[in-house]
Amino acid sequence: MAQRKSERTRAGILAAARERFGADGYERATVRAIAADAAIDPAMVIRYFGSKEKLFAEAAEFDIRLPDVSGVPAAEVGTTLVRHLVARWEEDDTFRVLLRTAATNESAAERMRHVFATQLAPTLAGLAVDQPALRAGLVATQALGFALCRYILQLPPVTALTADQAVAFLAPTITHYLTAPLSAE
Amino acid sequence: MAQRKSERTRAGILAAARERFGADGYERATVRAIAADAAIDPAMVIRYFGSKEKLFAEAAEFDIRLPDVSGVPAAEVGTTLVRHLVARWEEDDTFRVLLRTAATNESAAERMRHVFATQLAPTLAGLAVDQPALRAGLVATQALGFALCRYILQLPPVTALTADQAVAFLAPTITHYLTAPLSAE
DNA sequence: GTCTATAATTCGATAGAC
DNA sequence: GTCTATCGAATTATAGAC
């Protein structure tokens, strides 16, 4: 019972932390504000997670959960990837937390590079194309740029898109980066 | 003479501020650190600029200085724009200051939207294409995503590119967003 | 487990001597 | 114009009562 309660408290703190970190960034999101959102004492936040930095580390734990595209026809890989990414970002604000914070926090930026290197790049490397690392980098510029403009900067023409429209516009670009001959450009 | 000296001091503070804001973001860049970089007393920073926020406002004053592309053939507009943007970002770190800070500071994000609305969107609107605002938004996702990955997140495959390579890879995408029929996708 | 009280820093900004 | 000294506020984190 006490175990149950503390688990619930912990989860409540994490949820409040994700919201605050995602809305304000690491520096402006205070332990006090997170505690207030979770309806708990600020000292408890430290007690549960040790420090603000460790709390952030857990709140920004992010698994991009890319689907296996090794059996998907080359022409459809781009659409499959983009559809998955957009849906993932729309449903879970953890990625927004990480993206926003990575701009001003080096450890968050390092984590972003880690996600790139361990989750995105290997998936593309399995597609049997040349220069998979470079292609993964180009895919990242478009995918992260969309997320930046939509969720962080909130440029009106980009926020106005439905998820389906976004997929339709971005997929050809991603496909291009995955399939175009690189040396010819 | 006193005028000259104070102008020099002011310029020195601004240069130090751009570097600090660009490296650390708005919150972590302290007036004290900026003053130390400029080899001046922290109180002078406030005396010259009034407050940290006003100092940032001047340090992040950014003119994208887009070239006139109204006479450029449609097929070359993308390359022209991308070449200009990449060169501009490589030479001047003011844009980096703005981009990094916009992630966690609402007034910087608003300024970014303002730059988009007053500098990028009107230029594309002059190209006589349909849905210029939407196209400008799509261009922004790719252009800003490249800047994010190269200057802020520093993803290895993206930082490894030369400026010319970057232009070569991005131009087709920008051209696509400027010329592709939008409803067909 | 929870909260009160507070320690220890650090920040932006100001006052006033020179 | 410049610097010393410092104020007042806010922060993370801790100590200890209950």
Side-chain angles (χ1 to χ4, degrees):
Chain A
M1 188 54 156
Q3 175 71 7
R4 276 248 196 59
K5 170 109 183 263
S6 70
E7 279 304 315
R8 232 182 12 240
T9 302
R10 195 184 160 84
I13 296 173
L14 263 183
R18 285 206 185 87
E19 197 157 338
R20 280 286 175 177
F21 282 133
D24 302 336
Y26 182 80
E27 320 292 338
R28 301 177 68 109
T30 66
V31 172
R32 284 170 158 78
I34 292 169
D37 289 354
I40 204 173
D41 191 90
M44 296 305 297
V45 175
I46 302 297
R47 179 175 174 86
Y48 272 92
F49 294 90
S51 71
K52 180 183 179 180
E53 195 167 337
K54 289 178 186 170
L55 170 62
F56 172 76
E58 283 208 38
E61 200 74 46
F62 183 67
D63 187 347
I64 201 172
R65 297 206 308 244
L66 281 180
D68 180 17
V69 290
S70 56
V72 177
E76 296 172 18
V77 171
T79 302
T80 302
L81 278 179
V82 171
R83 194 196 317 278
H84 174 86
L85 288 176
V86 171
R88 188 91 182 78
W89 295 343
E90 293 281 332
E91 85 187 358
D92 181 0
D93 54 0
T94 305
F95 176 73
R96 261 169 278 186
V97 174
L98 188 55
L99 179 58
R100 185 186 292 271
T101 311
T104 52
N105 185 286
E106 176 53 29
S107 80
E110 171 56 35
R111 180 182 304 240
M112 194 68 114
R113 286 191 290 269
H114 186 258
V115 169
F116 171 82
T118 62
Q119 300 187 45
L120 180 60
T123 295
L124 302 193
L127 292 177
V129 293
D130 60 322
Q131 305 198 55
L134 169 58
R135 292 179 189 274
L138 293 173
V139 167
T141 66
Q142 176 61 90
L144 296 182
F146 170 75
L148 175 74
C149 292
R150 184 174 177 92
Y151 305 116
I152 310 294
L153 300 181
Q154 301 189 9
L155 296 185
V158 183
T159 57
L161 297 173
T162 65
D164 285 344
Q165 287 175 320
V167 171
F169 289 138
L170 297 183
T173 298
I174 303 301
T175 299
H176 172 75
Y177 288 146
L178 292 178
T179 60
L182 291 178
S183 53
E185 288 183 1
Chain B
M1 187 56 156
Q3 176 71 8
R4 275 244 194 62
K5 170 112 184 262
S6 71
E7 280 302 317
R8 233 181 12 240
T9 302
R10 195 186 161 82
I13 296 172
L14 263 183
R18 285 205 185 89
E19 198 158 336
R20 280 285 175 179
F21 282 133
D24 302 336
Y26 182 78
E27 319 293 338
R28 302 178 69 110
T30 66
V31 171
R32 283 170 159 79
I34 292 169
D37 288 354
I40 204 174
D41 191 90
M44 295 305 298
V45 175
I46 302 297
R47 179 175 175 85
Y48 272 93
F49 294 91
S51 70
K52 179 183 180 180
E53 194 167 337
K54 289 177 187 168
L55 169 62
F56 172 76
E58 282 208 39
E61 200 74 45
F62 183 66
D63 188 347
I64 201 172
R65 297 206 308 245
L66 281 179
D68 181 18
V69 291
S70 56
V72 178
E76 295 171 19
V77 171
T79 302
T80 302
L81 277 178
V82 172
R83 193 195 318 278
H84 174 86
L85 288 176
V86 171
R88 188 91 182 80
W89 296 342
E90 294 281 331
E91 85 187 356
D92 182 2
D93 54 358
T94 304
F95 176 74
R96 263 169 275 185
V97 174
L98 188 56
L99 178 58
R100 188 186 290 272
T101 311
T104 53
N105 185 286
E106 175 53 28
S107 80
E110 171 57 34
R111 179 182 307 236
M112 193 69 112
R113 286 191 288 270
H114 186 257
V115 168
F116 171 83
T118 62
Q119 300 187 46
L120 180 61
T123 295
L124 302 192
L127 291 176
V129 293
D130 60 322
Q131 304 198 57
L134 170 57
R135 292 180 190 274
L138 293 173
V139 167
T141 65
Q142 177 61 93
L144 297 182
F146 170 75
L148 174 74
C149 292
R150 184 175 178 90
Y151 305 115
I152 310 293
L153 300 181
Q154 301 189 9
L155 296 185
V158 183
T159 57
L161 297 173
T162 66
D164 285 345
Q165 286 176 320
V167 171
F169 289 139
L170 296 183
T173 299
I174 303 299
T175 299
H176 172 74
Y177 287 146
L178 291 178
T179 60
L182 292 177
S183 54
E185 290 181 357

